[in-house]
Structure formats: structure tokens, C-alpha cells
Amino acid sequence: AFCDVAALEQGECQFGGGIVADYSSLIPESNYTIIQGGFGGMALLGNGYIAGFFMFVQPTEPGVRVYEVEPGTCDESNCTKPSVTDFLGFYPLEPGFEFVSDVSLIPGSSSIVLVVESEPLPLATGTNNDTRFIYCFASLNPAASDKVLDKSCIIDNDEIYDRINTTTTSGESAARPVRGGGTLVLDENCFIASADSNFPQAETTTLELGLLMLVCFPQPIFNETYLISSVF
């Protein structure tokens, strides 16, 4: 009841409720590969299931795959593995952004999440620039038949006021953002944003420092009623 490799190779993707969508025009006849990376972020939903966002967009698909995952259970003598139970939709990345870093459920909601997207790492692009990462709302209830999730972006790391100047490039103790890290929505106004950082840029992917930021808005934007009326 979800999009697996075999279904995609055959041009069919079965969604919940027995609906089958034809993706034959999107799937090449040969050389179909799955980009490695696994899940980029997961959020525990109100129904006890987990929304798992793939890290990368797979070839020819309109966005990052989002699956419903049933958590595993453990007791003193036995453990059951998590299992994928449904395909929720495709989450489209913003232009220039490469992967999902994390996901956090909006408090009190069962279907709206905050997603962190990151640009390609500087070492992968051969540049020495700071990496941008952006925060976007996404609804897990796609209205369109193509199963692409509705989304709305609210802020990126360049717009977060750095009151103690942690991201300055002067001085060896400074921290430069390399990629967006974990995020957690705390209440209707605030969320925690983190970033992996490494200054000066090394020739390896070793991440030596990190940023942890509390970001708050004057409006209660992390409120489901507000989001449904103003965004979705």
C-alpha cells in the first residue's frame, strides 16, 4: 500500500484507499536507481504513527517521498521492527535546496509539520560559502491527485537575527553554518533551530561546532487553526 521500487519501475504507485496512480511517464525504462540517504527527518503523529521524510528526491519524482511508518515495539524478550504502512505524498524542495534535514510536528496538529531543507554542502559544490537552510510548513493531507504536498516557507537562516554574532567569519572561534540540523517546535510562537558548522572549512566532512538557536515570532504561527486559515 505504498510506493516501493517494483511499483515505481512498473509505472504504478498505489496509495492508501486502493487508489493507483500511473507514473509511467516519470519512470525511465532502464537505469532506475534509488538515491541513498534513507530518511532525512521523522515526526511522531497524533495517531501514533511516524511521518518519515526521505532525505533526497529520487530520480524523476516531483519531491521527497513521505511515508507513514508504524513504530516498532520492544519488551524484555522481543522486539518488532518498524514497518512502512502507507505513502503520504511527495514533499517538493525549494529551488537550489538538495535534502531534508529534519521534521517537527506542529503542537496540537496531526497533519502539519515544519520541515528543514538544506542546500548542497560547500565541500560538494567546491565553494567556501555558507550553506543556506530554510524552514517550511507542509500539510500531510495533499489535496491534489498527484500527491504533491502543499507547503509554505517562513524563514531561512539568513533571516534569523544572530544577536551574539556567532556566525561572524572573523576569528578562529567563529562558527559557519554548513547544513541545517535538527529542529523542534516548542509552542505556538517558538521553535529551536540547530545547525552543523565547521570553521575554518576543512577538507573533510568533520563537523567541529554547532549552533543552537531559539527562534520566536510575534504571531502564533505554529497554531493549526492559524495555519489552516492563513496558509493552507
Side-chain angles (χ1 to χ4, degrees):
F2 60 91
C3 287
D4 58 17
V5 178
L8 286 167
E9 289 176 339
Q10 295 169 7
E12 293 184 346
C13 185
Q14 183 172 338
F15 305 130
I19 301 173
V20 178
D22 183 5
Y23 279 89
S24 57
S25 62
L26 299 177
I27 308 302
E29 295 181 359
S30 60
N31 298 324
Y32 183 83
T33 58
I34 296 295
I35 297 176
Q36 298 300 311
F39 289 104
M42 290 186 166
L44 182 63
L45 305 178
N47 60 6
Y49 289 85
I50 293 170
F53 283 63
F54 263 30
M55 180 176 290
F56 298 107
V57 177
Q58 309 306 307
T60 74
E61 295 183 2
V64 169
R65 297 185 198 176
V66 184
Y67 288 116
E68 180 185 80
V69 180
E70 183 177 10
T73 59
C74 278
D75 55 35
E76 294 181 357
S77 59
N78 186 44
C79 286
T80 61
K81 296 180 179 180
S83 60
V84 175
T85 56
D86 202 359
F87 174 74
L88 299 179
F90 295 105
Y91 173 81
L93 296 175
E94 291 296 291
F97 288 81
E98 185 179 58
F99 60 92
V100 169
S101 294
D102 199 17
V103 183
S104 179
L105 184 69
I106 303 302
S109 175
S110 60
S111 61
I112 300 178
V113 295
L114 182 67
V115 183
V116 189
E117 303 177 21
S118 284
E119 287 183 325
L121 301 182
L123 293 176
T125 60
T127 67
N128 198 35
N129 299 325
D130 291 351
T131 298
R132 291 176 59 232
F133 41 98
I134 193 168
Y135 297 84
C136 307
F137 292 121
S139 171
L140 299 178
N141 296 321
S145 59
D146 59 7
K147 298 290 283 189
V148 174
L149 304 181
D150 291 332
K151 62 177 289 190
S152 179
C153 297
I154 55 171
I155 195 171
D156 67 28
N157 61 305
D158 288 339
E159 299 172 303
I160 297 175
Y161 174 57
D162 183 11
R163 61 181 298 179
I164 58 175
N165 200 27
T166 55
T167 55
T168 177
T169 54
S170 61
E172 293 187 3
S173 62
R176 297 185 56 193
V178 170
R179 65 180 178 184
T183 191
L184 177 65
V185 179
L186 298 177
D187 53 33
E188 293 185 346
N189 297 83
C190 301
F191 74 100
I192 291 177
S194 68
D196 297 324
S197 55
N198 188 21
F199 181 87
Q201 288 292 339
E203 294 182 357
T204 68
T205 56
T206 301
L207 303 173
E208 300 171 350
L209 300 171
L211 301 176
L212 190 63
M213 300 163 283
L214 177 63
V215 184
C216 295
F217 295 84
Q219 303 88 0
I221 67 170
F222 301 111
N223 175 281
E224 184 174 45
T225 302
Y226 175 86
L227 287 171
I228 292 175
S229 63
S230 305
V231 178
F232 299 109

